[in-house]
Amino acid sequence: MDGTLVQNEVILGVDTHLDTHVGVVINDQGKVIGILTSIPTNRAGYLKLLTWARTLGNVRRAGVEGTGTYGAGLARLLREQGIEVWEVNRPDRAKRRLQGKSDSTDAESAARTVLSGNATATPKSQSGVAEALRMLSVVRRSAVKARTQTINQLRSLLISAPDD
């Protein structure tokens, strides 16, 4: 993005979880103009979130927590829809406890991080050769671990088994 102001631009911030996400939309002045407290973590839920956000203005940027985990599906859909997605770190736990933990507050913080320009990490695309190699590495590591556990169990049985 070249930094130019877009007419009626709003920024989406999302706090992600396993089963539901929370979305907050702020305007270019940082004012909260909408909160969607819970959407399911599936394509229909992601589309509902984006459709809702677009009713509040021109969505071109979004800050999403956990784009490599719980927010991966949402980040993928937003990019497909032409939205610039920024990875936003989860707020500091100690700070969150002092201010009071709230999913909508975390989502608002994500949007504000994008607005301020402090969001600098772009999510991984999770495709291509690098992702394929990562998946193979994960599977191999798991297979080696399972093999080692099996060998250890067999050795334990041999040691503790009766002589006959």
Side-chain angles (χ1 to χ4, degrees):
M1 182 153 191
D2 61 7
T4 57
L5 188 63
V6 176
Q7 187 68 21
N8 197 26
E9 181 181 7
V10 296
I11 298 170
L12 173 63
V14 184
D15 182 35
T16 62
H17 300 279
L18 176 62
D19 297 320
T20 62
H21 294 339
V22 175
V24 168
V25 172
I26 63 172
N27 65 14
D28 60 352
Q29 302 298 310
K31 181 181 179 206
V32 174
I33 57 174
I35 300 172
L36 187 60
T37 56
S38 180
I39 59 116
T41 55
N42 56 39
R43 188 166 181 86
Y46 305 152
L47 287 170
K48 178 181 177 183
L49 174 67
L50 182 56
T51 301
W52 165 80
R54 283 180 167 160
T55 65
L56 300 172
N58 185 1
V59 181
R60 294 184 37 147
R61 300 182 284 169
V64 180
E65 290 183 0
T67 60
T69 56
Y70 295 146
L74 174 62
R76 198 169 20 257
L77 180 124
L78 291 174
R79 282 194 308 264
E80 288 170 5
Q81 296 291 318
I83 308 295
E84 186 178 342
V85 179
W86 295 95
E87 167 71 37
V88 177
N89 293 328
R90 294 193 186 278
D92 177 36
R93 286 184 180 182
K95 184 179 177 184
R96 282 173 39 192
R97 268 194 297 281
L98 291 173
Q99 295 176 341
K101 165 67 172 110
S102 161
D103 294 337
S104 60
T105 301
D106 288 351
E108 179 183 342
S109 176
R112 288 186 187 289
T113 301
V114 172
L115 178 62
S116 70
N118 290 329
T120 57
T122 55
K124 295 178 182 173
S125 66
Q126 296 184 327
S127 63
V129 175
E131 182 64 11
L133 288 174
R134 187 194 69 76
M135 287 180 175
L136 285 174
S137 177
V138 167
V139 170
R140 182 185 183 282
R141 219 175 9 253
S142 177
V144 167
K145 184 177 179 181
R147 177 183 176 268
T148 302
Q149 287 176 334
T150 302
I151 289 170
N152 290 341
Q153 287 173 344
L154 286 171
R155 282 188 180 146
S156 176
L157 286 173
L158 289 173
I159 291 169
S160 63
D163 288 340
D164 33 315

